Amino acid sequence: PVEWFCFGLVAQRTRAYHSEREIQRGFLVGFSVGRLDITGHVFNPDDADPTYVLSASINFSLPRRR
């Protein structure tokens, strides 16, 4: 909706240890502040024990010259 905010659907296929599911699905929400990007994922939100992932990244790219 705006440049600094994102949301969407996510899916991943894994063979996690002690996991009954190979395909996990869920949601993501992220935002940017300056060069910092933070994104949160929730996999299997309908499970009794969903999986949460939080990621952060810093953009070190140089601005483009015109």
Side-chain angles (χ1 to χ4, degrees):
V2 291
E3 189 174 323
W4 57 269
F5 178 74
C6 67
F7 63 93
L9 301 173
V10 292
Q12 71 176 3
R13 182 181 181 273
T14 59
R15 290 187 181 255
Y17 185 69
H18 286 298
S19 175
E20 297 179 11
R21 293 189 184 183
E22 273 191 40
I23 298 176
Q24 298 179 336
R25 71 262 183 269
F27 305 97
L28 75 85
V29 172
F31 63 92
S32 298
V33 178
R35 294 182 170 201
L36 178 65
D37 295 330
I38 298 176
T39 306
H41 298 77
V42 179
F43 290 101
N44 302 327
D46 57 336
D47 260 0
D49 190 20
T51 302
Y52 301 97
V53 177
L54 181 65
S55 64
S57 63
I58 298 174
N59 183 353
F60 289 104
S61 64
L62 298 174
R64 292 183 178 179
R65 292 186 180 191
R66 294 181 185 214

